[in-house]
């Protein structure tokens, strides 16, 4: 099965990114034909500054966290220009009403993001990403299901005119992926400014973790671990025995939430130690990262070119 996912280069990664999508992506490499790209065209809809720097940072971080270029096709979206060609062709098969109903566009404009054509037509570019590579499975969060459905609708309209050329993808939602709590108990998100970053200085990470919202309970009293933001973050990193031991510490009393925050910081720091070391290597070898991306783009192009040539032929663009 060909599994495709895109990652916007949006800056520092946090543990919500890791458990919400990155870990699943890395695990998927074992049994799937995994295609993963850095969606730098998509990132332009949010007007992020210094896109080139963010693209390299994202590539470095994902390689450090386990994306394997020998198991996955990993490239930068803009290195496959054919995706923009297909985006334009698919635009002719996209009813305005379909885009006007897109939840993402409504949500972003409601949050004050300026309405423009790129934001409005974002789902068509996403459809081009998916359909150009004949993707079978698109792992998404629940808020992205509609975009895969839009890609299917567009592909169906195209196929109705030109025959069964575009493969209709299926979305895959990881139901067992837990919502990672931020330091305020809400879903961890940069939007809420409640994140614990994966990479960075140890002291700075500890300072962030100490800000986790907890109940005020006397030091000697037992603590409730269920519903505790510190516990709910820690359990993502612990095996069954470690989890039971932490629960017992809560029940015994004699420790405050400050002790559990220090423990959490130690657990997180140790968990990501090998990833930090790998990241340091790639930071010191950025030309190697660029070569990996170029090789990935070459592999992606080998899949994209036969498809775009067929589309050019049936639509009359080739003459």
């Amino acid at each position: 099965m060909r599994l495709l996912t895109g990652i916007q280069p949006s800056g520092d990664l946090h543990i919500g990114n890791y458990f919400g999508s990155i870990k699943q992506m890395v695990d998927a490499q074992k049994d799937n034909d995994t295609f993963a790209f850095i969606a730098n065209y998509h990132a332009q809809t949010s007007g992020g500054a210094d896109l080139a720097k963010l693209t390299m940072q994202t590539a470095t971080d994902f390689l450090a966290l386990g994306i394997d270029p020998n198991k996955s096709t990993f490239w930068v979206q803009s290195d496959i220009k054919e995706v923009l060609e297909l985006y334009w062709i698919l635009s002719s098969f996209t009813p305005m009403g379909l885009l006007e109903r897109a939840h993402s566009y409504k949500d972003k404009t409601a949050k004050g993001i300026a309405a423009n054509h790129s934001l409005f037509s974002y789902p068509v570019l996403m459809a081009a990403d998916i359909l150009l590579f004949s993707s079978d499975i698109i792992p998404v969060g629940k808020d992205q299901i509609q975009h895969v459905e839009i890609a299917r609708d567009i592909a169906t309209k195209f196929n109705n005119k030109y025959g069964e050329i575009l493969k209709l993808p299926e979305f895959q939602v990881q139901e067992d992926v837990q919502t990672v709590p931020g330091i305020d108990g809400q879903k961890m998100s940069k939007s809420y400014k409640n994140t614990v970053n994966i990479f960075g200085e140890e002291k700075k990470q500890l300072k962030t973790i100490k800000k986790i919202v907890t109940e005020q309970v006397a030091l000697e009293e037992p603590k409730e671990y269920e519903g505790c933001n510190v516990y709910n973050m820690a359990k993502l990193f612990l095996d069954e025995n470690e989890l039971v031991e932490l629960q017992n510490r809560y029940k015994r009393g004699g420790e405050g939430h400050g002790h559990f925050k220090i423990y959490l910081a130690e657990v997180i720091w140790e968990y990501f130690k090998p990833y930090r070391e790998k990241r340091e290597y790639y930071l010191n070898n950025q030309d190697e990262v660029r070569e990996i991306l170029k090789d990935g783009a070459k592999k992606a192009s080998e899949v994209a070119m036969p498809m775009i040539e067929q589309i050019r032929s049936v639509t009359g663009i080739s003459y």
Side-chain angles (χ1 to χ4, degrees):
M1 300 290 282
R2 179 165 294 158
L3 183 150
L4 179 138
T5 187
I7 314 113
Q8 282 204 36
S10 58
D12 295 337
L13 297 174
H14 54 75
I15 63 174
N17 297 138
Y18 179 75
F19 287 103
S21 62
I22 300 169
K23 190 174 186 299
Q24 284 71 39
M25 194 188 312
V26 171
D27 291 344
Q29 295 176 127
K30 301 170 188 174
D31 304 309
N32 297 278
D33 181 17
T34 306
F35 276 47
F37 65 93
I38 298 174
N40 58 340
Y41 283 143
H42 286 294
Q44 290 183 310
T45 62
S46 56
D50 208 348
L51 186 55
K53 180 181 177 182
L54 289 174
T55 297
M56 284 301 296
Q57 179 182 336
T58 301
T60 300
D61 289 349
F62 271 75
L63 289 168
L65 289 168
I67 287 293
D68 186 343
N70 295 312
K71 295 178 181 178
S72 293
T73 302
F74 183 49
W75 76 101
V76 177
Q77 185 183 29
S78 60
D79 284 338
I80 306 296
K81 305 298 183 185
E82 291 75 20
V83 73
L84 292 182
E85 182 177 350
L86 183 55
Y87 159 71
W88 180 251
I89 293 168
L90 295 179
S91 294
S92 298
F93 296 86
T94 309
M96 290 289 289
L98 190 63
L99 297 181
E100 287 168 347
R101 292 191 295 273
H103 304 314
S104 177
Y105 176 75
K106 293 177 182 177
D107 291 345
K108 288 178 179 177
T109 53
K111 290 176 181 176
I113 297 176
N116 58 40
H117 179 262
S118 65
L119 190 65
F120 184 68
S121 62
Y122 182 107
V124 187
L125 181 56
M126 185 168 170
D129 291 321
I130 293 167
L131 300 172
L132 183 60
F133 297 101
S134 300
S135 310
D136 296 298
I137 301 293
I138 314 298
V140 293
K142 291 180 180 178
D143 59 334
Q144 290 283 316
I145 291 173
Q146 188 188 40
H147 283 162
V148 181
E149 292 173 336
I150 288 173
R152 288 174 59 90
D153 289 344
I154 295 170
T156 298
K157 288 182 179 296
F158 183 94
N159 289 346
N160 286 342
K161 184 170 183 178
Y162 294 116
E164 298 299 313
I165 293 172
L166 301 176
K167 180 178 284 189
L168 271 60
E170 301 287 344
F171 63 80
Q172 181 184 78
V173 176
Q174 295 286 121
E175 296 290 352
D176 57 339
V177 173
Q178 300 180 57
T179 298
V180 179
I183 61 173
D184 59 356
Q186 297 186 83
K187 178 182 177 181
M188 188 174 291
S189 169
K190 289 177 186 174
S191 306
Y192 300 143
K193 299 180 180 178
N194 65 355
T195 60
V196 177
N197 290 342
I198 294 172
F199 301 117
E201 298 176 4
E202 186 174 11
K203 288 183 179 178
K204 188 174 181 180
Q205 189 178 80
L206 176 59
K207 186 176 179 181
T208 300
I209 289 169
K210 284 183 175 180
K211 294 178 183 177
I212 295 175
V213 176
T214 53
E215 292 183 334
Q216 295 293 324
V217 182
L219 180 68
E220 65 278 3
E221 293 293 322
K223 315 292 184 300
E224 291 289 339
Y225 61 84
E226 291 181 356
C228 175
N229 294 325
V230 177
Y231 174 84
N232 287 331
M233 205 178 292
K235 70 182 182 182
L236 298 166
F237 298 90
L238 304 178
D239 63 29
E240 188 174 344
N241 291 333
E242 291 168 332
L243 203 57
V244 170
E245 173 55 28
L246 181 57
Q247 291 171 3
N248 290 335
R249 287 174 62 183
Y250 270 82
K251 294 174 185 176
R252 280 196 298 266
E255 292 184 273
H257 286 294
H259 295 96
F260 298 129
K261 290 176 183 179
I262 292 171
Y263 169 72
L264 172 63
E266 292 170 349
V267 167
I268 292 175
W269 190 255
E270 184 62 25
Y271 183 92
F272 287 110
K273 181 180 179 180
Y275 303 110
R276 286 195 304 277
E277 292 172 352
K278 198 172 180 182
R279 184 174 185 264
E280 189 66 25
Y281 169 81
Y282 283 120
L283 283 173
N284 292 325
N285 294 274
Q286 290 287 278
D287 285 344
E288 183 175 336
V289 175
R290 292 185 180 91
E291 284 301 314
I292 288 170
L293 294 172
K294 286 180 182 177
D295 289 344
K298 184 178 178 182
K299 287 165 63 179
S301 183
E302 289 171 358
V303 175
M305 286 309 299
M307 173 60 74
I308 202 67
E309 287 170 2
Q310 185 180 13
I311 291 169
R312 289 169 182 163
S313 177
V314 299
T315 57
I317 291 173
S318 294
Y319 57 91

